[in-house]
Each structure stands twice: as structure tokens, then as C-alpha cells.
Amino acid sequence: MSAVEEQRPIGYGRLKRKEDARFIRGQGTYVDDVQLPGMLHGAILRSPVAHARIASIDTSAALAHPKVHAVITGRDLEAQGLSWMPTLSADVQAVLATDKVRFQGQEVAFVIADDRYSARDALELIDVDYDTLPAVVNARKALDPDAPVIRDDLEGKTDNHIFDWESGDRAATDAVFARADVVVSQEMLYPRVHPAPMETCGAVADYDRVSGKLTLWSTTQAPHAHRTLYALVAGLPEHKIRVISPDIGGGFGNKVGIYPGYVCAVVGSIVTGKPIKWVEDRSENLMATSFARDYVMRGSIAATSEGRILGVQVDVIADHGAFNTTAQPTRYPAGFFHVFTGSYDLEAAHCSVRGVYTNKAPGGVAYACSFRITEAVYLVERMVDMLARELDADPAELRLRNFIRPEQFPYACRTGWVYDSGDYERTMRKALAIAGYDELRREQVERRARGELMGIGVGFFTEAVGAGPRRHMDILGLGMADGAELRVHPTGKAQLGISVQTQGQGHETTFAQIVAEELGIPPEDIEVVHGDTDNTPFGLGTYGSRSTPVSGAATAVVARKVREKARIVAGAMLEVAPEDLAWERGRWFVRGDPEQGATIQEIAMAAHGSLELPEGVEGGLDSETVYNPPNLTFPFGAYLCVVDVDPGTAAVRVRRFVAVDDCGTRINPIIIEGQVHGGLTDGVGMALMELIAFDEDGNCLGGSLMDYLIPTALEVPDWETDFTVTPSPHHPIGAKGIGESATVGSPPTIVNAVVDALAPYGVRHMDMPCTPSRVWEAMQGNAKPPQ
Amino acid sequence: MQVPSPFEYERATSVEHALELLARLGPDARLLAGGHSLLPMMKLRLASPEYLIDIDPLAGELGYVREQDGEVRIGAMTRHRELLESELLARRVAIFTDAERVIADPVVRNRGTIGGALCQADPAEDLSAVCAAADARVVVRGRDGERVLDMRAFHRGAYETAVEDGEMVTEIRVPLHPGAGSAYEKVERRVGDWAVVAAGAAVRLSDGTIEHAAIALAAVGGDVTSPAAAEALAGRPPSEELFAEAAGIAAAGCSPVTDQRGSAEYKRHVAAELTLRALRRATARALREES
């Protein structure tokens, strides 16, 4: 490939992102940039306490504020049957509280005023009388007999239990544990963290009383799914709802669900007849929108004395907060946690997951977790490391010894997944070579002799992404297939309509490159349209690393349909049978006479022109498709981290991080590297500093960016990234998802490094975040889960 | 967007004007310097002043770092960035340079001021400890004249200073001595976070002994300074054992609390560790072994 093609490829390659031209000029259009004539502004009154009965709400003083137009409470919504709404997990969630508040920050009233300032001022004029109740904060205690019942709104509910779910074979797992030489067990907490996208959540609702049409600009990763849900929730006909997801400043799962604020904006617009803007502030985002993780995991791993892993068993208490609002395929209440056997060829495995309510914000799967794969990978990678310590084996060698081997693919794992492709050893060896692993271990010995604390963390992950086959996967009955629609204009320029919505992933570039690769049209000649339900085909949205596996496949398929249509038209143009034509990038030509041919641009003009087409062939080249993935894709990677811990202050510095990712076919390496860099940075954040903490009364202690820390460039090393390519055999272009790989793979690798550094102190495990204080406590033999 | 309560805004064009506005508007008025503490507190509605008196136009009049009469004189509106970049401070009172390297981030340092930091008196604030360790004095001006206070008199505890209604800080005076060295050490969870713990130390050496020492701690409650530790150092030759002894005294005398930044036990431990390190570097600087 020439240097020019390298920079401006027609097809795959290092193309600069098309969307960056507007972003780097500050010319993006986010929800908060939407200004409509007569628009009013909403603000939400939130509960100051975690659990309380609402004795009364007095809104009269707020209504008397000269700039206030309306104050909506749960009672007002009740009249319209909207005080509760269904969640994505077969539960209900209060839009505005009527009976009780169940977490600090819960929505209680919605004020509509001339401007944001007045709306906020008026919140302080609402008088709510709360009768405080005891709060349940610790998931381990949620099912204690004396725990207060949070969800007494649910008929007959007498405890805080949500669900029990299991996967794998308990008896077979018990049997391998019984005959194992070595068993290692550990309870570990994957703490509650938050996606904290740069742009908070918000909406502008504009209900037209004449046409009955609602236009809703909102921060959504799934505009089509939202449209259908609004139709089901609000009773508006679906064709009278247009959801527009404009530029989105980061999602990470935070913008998958429907929040009460969106519904309030819609109701507010219907009530006032004016457009209503509601955009939450940073504290609201951190305190009330979808958090991630909060999994208490008790894991065990069994092995022979030679280091052959036999089985893994894990029991989980899943803290879902006050309402079960997690977003995941319906049949999987614990998401894809049952991929916890990881990258290893085991004899047996079993997990049980128990979901519980607590007086904490609802949510659960957000933050680039691939539906709980983050938790699963953390568990197995920590367990394997602990096993290595127990066996006095090298953690890299132990992994190499137990990997699923290339010839075993497609590999049916013990919990039912069929891994599509992989060559784990090759990827692992590449990472070890880049890191100079043996040299690092020698350096570690020398440093330890000097009293220095250097740690080397090894991690390997396999993800299951691209949900998913509609036979197995739906969200509220909506199958997880994606449409794509490709229009080719007479001059050969094209417009691709996709259902998935970028929040920074670079869809406008990547998807144009897929069409370019298939049709030979330059990417700059392809406009990618997305984020507007009136102009794009139906699909389930961007999350769980599903855009390339599902919509990327749909795009390749629809481009191939156009190509086949072009073949028929080219046959008519060249007066040969279509079967006698051959394709080279961007052109059909006559087999045996390559001079005779037509470019896709020429064909497009002919298809719209006066050319006589064969009987039954319609003009134009436009095509559409719906892609139902036959399986998930299984990206994987080998990560290696070097940390230094200051023995005096216990501060952790990440010195090096090597990431070798395999996401199959690589469409745009710049974008892939960007995804990996971002995910690794997320991982440093989770491993070292991020935590949504609560006090025992349920007060959120992470409600601002002063309290909830996000890493900066100064906490991260220069990333050393590389890759291998193992295409997916079932994906049309062999691509796998990459959006969450690094977020999944990096936290256990960093914790493995920290624990390795602390080995001289006898530390076997410590929970995240590895703050200086918590590391020091681990060094004193006093490692505790965070509060 | 987090929005503050309604407030009135005035812009002061001189120190005299600012004092006049303070007198006229009364105790519900607040001075707005760099705004990096006050504005976040207003947006979170933890502070709701009726009036803001913007003294940003005083950045010229009160923005300087200069040597005069054996002191470094620092105008109250001097930005963190100017302190960080001051060659005079780096050469003579390096504790300022050490601290400024780890105060917040460049965006904050471009706006935040030394006067604002000292008057905010956040318990985890760095410059109060720096000034205390450096034996700085603070010039407080009212319409009736000036008062010059040492840090013990100025800094009365968390969020509390000796500045009365109608007064403002105009200058900080840091004494210069031969044979002096100072240093600042800090542990933070992340760059830009408040200190988990920080320690500052300043020593003056004469004929191989410590003639004078000062130690100050940030984010561990109680008194900023540790006179007992300073006393233990005075008149003795510097040594690792002596530093450890002083560090132990400083740590024993502080009163940290457990919070999101760390446990009280950890903070006490690291107060000792950082004091030790600060003493080591301060002494090396006094001996010109390190700049």
C-alpha cells in the first residue's frame, strides 16, 4: 500500500475521522446546543435522602415564582398513568416519586421555567416533607431478615431479592473441585463506578399539538429502541415520535436507558405546548444515572498441582440499586457474566448470580462493560493470578498452559458460548516479547533486593460482543438485529443510513470505509446518516461493542447487494450477461476483456438514466437489509502492566502498559487505537481511583468530579499497543468489536501488577480502587473492600 | 450546567475601591479573586453570597513577586502560575515551587491566586502550609490601615482566617535567610485532587546545626504547623535519625480524619513519611546539595 493510500484509503486503513472536522472546530451540535423558539427549561428536584416516605409535597411557592410555568409531581403523572415506567429489565421505575424515595438523588418533582436559572431557583421553593426510613447500602446485607423492604410498591414484596440466575454445571464443577490438588478462593468486589461521559444526559422535547407529533432530541445510544419504548410508555403512536440523537459527548452505556428526566421533558412539552429543554448537571449525572458494576463475587478456582486449570466456580451478589433498570438482553439478567471461564479450556464451571435491591441509584451495566464481561474477566484473571501465586508458577506461563488452543475453535465453552476464533498463544507471546517479560522479571528481582516495590501484571481476556442473534437476544421483545440502507445517487456518491448512533466511536468514518471497501467509492463520497429515527432504518443502538459486529455487517451486506444490482446494470450497459462480468474494486468488467467495463459511478448514472434495463429490473441501485448475526464475535487481547509502588507513601505509578488486541479485521487502525487508548485510561481510573462511595445512611459520596476522580494524561503511561488479526469466521468482513476490550482487560491487569508489587508484604488480593491509603492498608495486612 | 443562586456583581478597579465596596455592601459580599474555590461552591449552592466583588482588575496592582528588605513580597493577586514560574522563589524559597508543581492543574493555576487560596483556608489547601512553614506574614488591609500577621495569627482553622469584614489580604511577605532550605511533599490520589496529606519543611543551617526549623502539614486537621517538631530540630545537627524523630512528633501531633482520601491511620503514617522527605530535601537545599 502506498503512502497516499495509507492516508486516504479507498476502503480500510488509517483514514482521519470525518467527524473531527466539526468537533475540533467546536462546531458539533449536542442536545444542549438545540435552541427552539419559545423553548422553556426544566429542572428536577431530587431526594436529599436515600430512603424515606413522602408525607407531603407543597409546590405553591415554586408556582408563585414569576418565571415558573409549571411544577409536575408524581401525583400529576399518576393521573396520566405515567408516574411509573417500565425498565429494560422487566421492573418498573418511578418517573417522579409518589409513595417513597428510594435513593439519594431520586426524581421528585419537575419545574418548568423561562430559563435554567429560574428553574433551579424554584426547586428550593418546593417543600417536601420526608419521613426518613433506614437505608440498605451494603448488598451483602440486603437480604438480612431485618433489612428494610425497599420495593414495597411491588405487590407482596417482603424482601430485597430481585432474581437468582445460574449458568454451567454445578455438579460437574463440584466433582472437579473434589479431585483438584489445589483450590484457591477469594471474595472480591468490583466496586460501583460511573461512566461519567463528558456530556451529561439531557433532552429537548417538542410536542406539536396540531400534528400530534413529538420530536425528541436526546442523549441516546439507541434512538430507535427509545422511540418504540416511548410509544409503549407514553401511549403516543410510534409514527408520531421522532427521536433525534445529535452529536453525543460520550456514552459508555450511560445513555442506553430512558431516564425520568426525558419523560418529564416530554410530559412538560405536552402540558405546556412549548418545547422543553432538560439537561442534567454533573452531580445529577454522577448521583442518579446509570452506574456500573457493584458486583460482590466469591470465586474459586481448581487446578492440578502441575497447573492444569480444572474449573471455576463463582457466586455473585449483584447490587442493582433501587430499581432494576439494567440494560441487557432479556434472557440474561446477569448480562454475559457467564463468559467468566475466560480464555481457558476448563473441564467444568458454574456461576450463580443473585440480584438485590439497595437504596442506591439504579442501573448496573453501564460503562463499557460488554454486558458484565468486565466483571467476569476481572474475576477469572484475578483467580488465575492467585492460582499462579499458590502454585508458585509464572502467571504468563500458567495462562499459556491453559489457553484454548487455535485448533479447538469454534470452541464451545462450559457455560454455553461458542467462541468463534482465536489464537491466544500468538497474541500472548507478542505481548510478552514487546514487554521484554523475562528482562522485567529480572529487574523485579534486583529491585526487590533493594526494597523497591515493582509489580508486573499479566492479563488476558476474551469478550463476547455483538448482541446478537435474535433467536437468543432481545431487549423488551425487540430482537437485536440491525438495519442498513444504502442509496447511491446518480453521480455515484452514496448515502448510508444506519441505526446505530456514534458517541465518539467514529461511525461516520468506519462505516463509510466499509462501503468504500465493498464498492470502491471513496469514503469522502459517502455520507453516513445516523441518529434520527425519521431518516434511518430500525436497529437496537450502539453499546456492548455491537456496532461493527452487527451494523458493520449490515453495511457490508447492503453494499454487496448494491454491488450485485450494479452488476445487472453493468451487464445491460456492456451488453453482456451479468455472469460474464468480474469485479475489481469500484468496477465491473468483462471477463477476458478487462478494458470493457464500467465504474460504479458510471453504473449509478446509467441506473438512473434512460438505459434499457432487463425485464423486471427496477432503476436505481438503492438497497436495504436487516442483519441478524449468527453468533457473537469474540475479540481478545493480551495485556501487560508494570507498576511501581512507593514503599513509603504506597502511591502506585503505572510505568508501562502493553496492549496487544485482536479484533479480527481492522477497518480503521487510528480509530481502533483511539478506542484502546481510551479504554486503557478507563482501566487506570477504575483500578486506581474511581469509586461511587456511600455512607451508611446512603448518602452518595461521589457526587462531583472533586469526589469522583477520573484519570488524566498524567496518571497514564505512553501506551504500547500492537495487534494480531484473527478474523471472525461468521462476520461478513471478519471484524469483531473493539470498543470495550481495553476497559474490560485493563483493570485486572493493573490490579495483578499492584498485588504482584506487594508480594513481599504477603498481599494476595486487594479490591479496587488501589488508592495510596488502601494500598498501604493492604501492606499492613488489612485489605478491606471499599465502602 | 450547575447554576448558582442569584447574586449582584461589582467590579473593583483598585484596592481602595474594593475596600469601599466591602464597606458599603457589608458582610454578605464576597471578594472574587481567581474564583476556583468560590465559584464551584456557588454552583453547588454551598455558598450563596448576595454580592460578588470581582477583584480581577487588581491583578496588576497586586500581582508581583519581588525581593525587598530581605523578604520576598508576593502580591495577593499573584497567580499560582506566576509563583510556579518565579525564579526568585525557586532559588530562595523552593517550597513554593515544589507546592505549585502539584497544586491543581494548569487551568486552575492560570487563574487561582495566593491571596484567594490563603483566605479560602481549605483544610487541604497547600499554600497555607507552605506559608506557615516559610514563616510568611500576611498583610491585611482595611479602610483604617494595615495589619501584618504571622500565619499562626492569620490562619485560624478550616475555612477561617483573621480577615475581618471590610478587610482584604494584599500581600504575603516571606523572609529570606542565608543557609536556608525548604521543601514540600504531597500525596494525592490524582493530579489536581486535593492533598491526601502534604508536608512542608523549612530549615536554616548555621555551622552544621539547625538554627531554626518549621514544619507544616496540610489536610490532617488541627494546627497547620508543628511547633514541637520544629523545637526538636532546633540546635541539633541534621541527621536521618533526627528527621525521623521530628517527623514522628509532627505525625503524632496531627489529627487526621478518615474520609474518601484515606484512613486516619494512613494519613498519620504518611504525614511522618512526607515530613521526613521534606526535611531531607530542605536540608539538602540549605546545604546547596540540591536546588
Side-chain angles (χ1 to χ4, degrees), chain A residues 116-117 120-121 124 280-283 646 648-649 689 693 701 706 709-711 714-715 772-773 776-777, chain B residues 1-6 44-45 187-191 193 260-263 265-266 269-270 273-274 277:
Chain A
R116 173 85 177 105
Y117 290 85
R120 176 69 183 80
D121 291 345
E124 288 170 18
E280 67 189 4
D281 65 31
R282 178 60 59 190
S283 294
D646 183 322
T649 65
M689 62 192 76
L701 306 176
M706 286 185 286
L709 301 183
I710 293 173
L714 294 166
E715 279 76 39
S773 179
W776 181 76
E777 276 135 31
Chain B
M1 182 175 64
Q2 261 152 326
V3 295
S5 301
L44 292 166
R45 300 206 176 201
V187 171
E188 52 191 359
R189 293 176 301 172
R190 189 204 65 188
V191 168
D193 187 25
Q260 286 296 292
R261 295 196 174 82
S263 66
E265 297 74 25
Y266 169 73
H269 157 80
V270 91
E273 178 69 28
L274 296 183
R277 292 182 186 188

Side-chain angles (χ1 to χ4, degrees), chain A residues 681-702:
Chain A
T681 306
D682 280 348
V684 169
M686 286 181 281
L688 300 188
M689 62 192 76
E690 294 184 33
L691 173 69
I692 296 280
F694 294 83
D695 70 13
E696 58 190 19
D697 296 323
N699 294 306
C700 178
L701 306 176

Side-chain angles (χ1 to χ4, degrees), chain A residues 376-412:
Chain A
V377 167
Y378 182 79
L379 176 100
V380 70
E381 289 304 297
R382 284 294 303 126
M383 293 311 303
V384 169
D385 243 47
M386 293 185 73
L387 176 66
R389 175 79 72 84
E390 186 73 19
L391 292 168
D392 201 22
D394 181 274
E397 278 303 316
L398 184 65
R399 285 177 171 83
L400 285 164
R401 207 177 304 162
N402 287 281
F403 277 151
I404 301 163
R405 296 182 310 279
E407 65 274 17
Q408 289 177 283
F409 290 92
Y411 175 83

